[in-house]
């Protein structure tokens, strides 16, 4: 069964996504270690999005050597269809930094259900 993992951002600086032990290989290129958005589809405003090696504005990747960045103000994001098994539990974890402050928007959804979302949060590392 395929389910969709979607990350929608505006003014978010760095992101790393990984699946927990129950779904170790479900999210492909979750830490962006290919150095690109390989296995992800970008949507919306993409001109300020990318994958960087090492630090992005003083924020280091926490899993591997690469991290994605988005922003500064227009909506855009990444999406990936993830293979799942009925009855199996899954853990989705991510690291997030918002160094730009306001305005901003961030949302992670899985199979159409928002897992976490915020609008106009104060800057945080």
């Amino acid at each position: 069964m395929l389910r969709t993992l979607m990350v929608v951002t505006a003014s978010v600086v760095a992101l790393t996504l990984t699946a927990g032990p129950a779904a170790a290989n479900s999210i492909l290129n979750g830490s962006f270690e290919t150095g690109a958005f390989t296995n992800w589809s970008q949507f919306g405003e993409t001109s300020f999005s990318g994958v960087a090696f090492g630090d992005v504005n003083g924020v280091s990747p926490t899993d591997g050597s690469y991290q994605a960045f988005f922003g500064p103000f227009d909506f855009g994001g990444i999406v990936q269809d993830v293979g799942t098994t009925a009855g199996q539990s899954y853990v989705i974890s991510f690291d997030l930094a918002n160094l730009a402050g306001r305005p901003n928007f961030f949302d992670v959804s899985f199979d159409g259900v928002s897992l976490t979302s915020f609008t106009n949060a104060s800057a945080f590392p």
Side-chain angles (χ1 to χ4, degrees):
M1 172 182 294
L2 287 179
R3 298 183 187 257
T4 301
L5 173 66
M6 181 179 292
V7 179
V8 182
T9 66
S11 193
V12 173
V13 175
L15 174 71
T16 301
L17 286 163
T18 57
N25 295 319
S26 293
I27 298 175
L28 301 176
N29 193 33
S31 297
F32 311 105
E33 292 304 300
T34 64
F37 285 118
T38 307
N39 301 109
W40 294 93
S41 296
Q42 290 184 272
F43 63 89
E45 175 58 58
T46 62
S47 59
F48 295 102
S49 300
V51 175
F53 178 82
D55 289 0
V56 173
N57 294 330
V59 175
S60 299
T62 58
D63 181 30
S65 300
Y66 291 85
Q67 58 188 325
F69 59 89
F70 303 89
F73 302 110
D74 294 325
F75 288 101
I78 54 178
V79 63
Q80 183 177 142
D81 287 331
V82 179
T84 61
T85 303
Q88 176 70 44
S89 295
Y90 294 89
V91 174
I92 297 172
S93 63
F94 57 91
D95 296 304
L96 173 68
N98 175 22
L99 302 180
R102 297 179 181 130
N104 58 59
F105 175 77
F106 177 77
D107 182 77
V108 174
S109 62
F110 186 71
D111 203 26
V113 176
S114 181
L115 303 177
T116 189
S117 183
F118 64 75
T119 302
N120 291 328
S122 298
F124 56 86

